[in-house]
Amino acid sequence: MNHRRFLLCAGLTLAMLPVVARAEVSVILDGHGHVRRVVYLTRDAGRAGGVWKQMRPRVPYETLLNPLGDTTGDLSPSIAIHPVTGQPWVVWPRNEGNQKRLVFSTWTGKAWTAPQPIAVPDMMGWDQIEPRLTFDPVGTPYLLFTEAARKGRILFTTVMHGAWTPPLPLTDGSVDSRSPGAAVVGDTLQVTWTTPSGVVSQSLQKTSLLESATNLMDSPIPPGTTTKPDDPRPHGGGTEDPDDQLIFPH
C-alpha cells in the first residue's frame, strides 16, 4: 500500500467515526502566515482532561479556537478541511443555558470567526450533539448530528445558496439512533449510526439528499436557521508540532 493510498484509507476511516477525543483545536502556520496544519489534540488526562483548553505551551492565542469552552460546558468538535479553500471548518455543541446548540467557526486567515448557530432546535428544545462534518470534492458540506430526544434522531444539514438548510431527519423517530458517522464516497454519502440493535449503515445518493434538504428551505416555517457561513482564505503565524495529536494537513 503506497503512502497516498494509506492516507486516503486513514482519512475515510476517521470520517466514518464520531469525534469523541479530548481536544485543543488550533492552527499551525508557516512562515508566510498560511495554514499548514490544523491541530486536534487527542491527549486525555482522565477526569482532569478537558475538551476545550490550551494543551501546548507557547501557542499564539489567536490560533486557538474556543480555549475557554471547558468553563462553559461545550462538547467535542468535528473538524473538516474545505477542499477548495483549504480552510478548516469546526462544528461543536455549545452550551447555552445548559442546552447544547450546534455552532460553527472557520479560520479567517488571522483568527477564528465568532461561533455562529447552525440549526434551531425543535419545539421541545432537545440538545444537538455528536456533530459529524465532511465535504465532497467540490466543497459541499455534509453535517450529521444527534438530536438527543428520549429516542434520539440523526439529522442532516448542508449549505445551499449561502445558508444552512433546515435539519432533515435521516432516522425513524421511533428507534433510538445516535453517534452518526459520515463519509463521501463517489456519488453517495455513506452514513452510520448506532441503535439498541446495533450499528446501522446506509448509502445515500448525494443528489437526492441535497434536493431533499433544499426543499425544506421552501417550507413556510422552516425548522432551522439560515446562517451564512464565511468563506475566508487561510494565512497567519507558526509553531511546533506536538506529540499525541491528530493533524489535518493542508
Side-chain angles (χ1 to χ4, degrees):
M1 181 181 294
N2 61 36
H3 183 63
R4 184 172 182 179
R5 182 175 297 177
F6 172 80
L7 289 176
L8 178 61
C9 293
L12 179 59
T13 301
L14 289 170
M16 292 297 293
L17 295 174
V19 178
V20 295
R22 302 304 186 192
E24 167 194 302
V25 177
S26 57
V27 291
I28 292 179
L29 310 162
D30 64 20
H32 301 286
H34 301 133
V35 171
R36 184 160 60 92
R37 293 189 178 106
V38 178
V39 175
Y40 179 35
L41 287 178
T42 59
R43 189 180 295 116
D44 190 346
R47 291 188 178 182
V51 176
W52 293 101
K53 64 179 182 181
Q54 181 174 344
M55 297 179 68
R56 296 176 300 146
R58 300 181 297 278
V59 178
Y61 188 79
E62 65 274 10
T63 67
L64 293 167
L65 175 61
N66 195 33
L68 302 180
D70 277 354
T71 64
T72 58
D74 292 2
L75 300 184
S76 297
S78 179
I79 305 169
I81 305 299
H82 194 285
V84 178
T85 67
Q87 71 187 22
W89 289 36
V90 184
V91 176
W92 73 96
R94 183 171 63 178
N95 190 38
E96 299 178 357
N98 208 30
Q99 295 179 320
K100 303 303 187 293
R101 301 290 177 255
L102 288 185
V103 296
F104 78 104
S105 178
T106 60
W107 178 252
T108 67
K110 295 182 179 179
W112 293 95
T113 61
Q116 300 178 53
I118 293 175
V120 170
D122 75 347
M123 295 183 65
M124 296 298 293
W126 302 112
D127 286 343
Q128 301 167 343
I129 61 173
E130 301 176 327
R132 183 59 211 148
L133 175 66
T134 189
F135 289 100
D136 65 18
V138 299
T140 303
Y142 297 79
L143 174 61
L144 275 64
F145 65 94
T146 300
E147 180 185 74
R150 292 183 179 87
K151 290 187 176 180
R153 295 193 303 168
I154 306 302
L155 302 178
F156 166 78
T157 181
T158 185
V159 173
M160 286 289 176
H161 311 302
W164 288 100
T165 61
L168 173 70
L170 297 183
T171 58
D172 183 350
S174 66
V175 179
D176 189 28
S177 304
R178 300 173 188 267
S179 303
V184 173
V185 180
D187 294 330
T188 66
L189 181 69
Q190 305 291 329
V191 299
T192 63
W193 59 82
T194 60
T195 71
S197 301
V199 177
V200 175
S201 300
Q202 286 192 4
S203 179
L204 305 177
Q205 289 295 319
K206 291 193 305 180
T207 301
S208 298
L209 184 62
L210 295 176
E211 182 178 353
S212 296
T214 303
N215 288 340
L216 284 180
M217 300 183 77
D218 297 327
S219 171
I221 307 177
T225 62
T226 54
T227 303
K228 183 176 181 180
D230 297 321
D231 188 20
R233 306 292 172 170
H235 71 272
T239 180
E240 297 292 327
D241 293 355
D243 297 326
D244 302 327
Q245 63 190 27
L246 177 62
I247 296 181
F248 295 79
H250 183 164

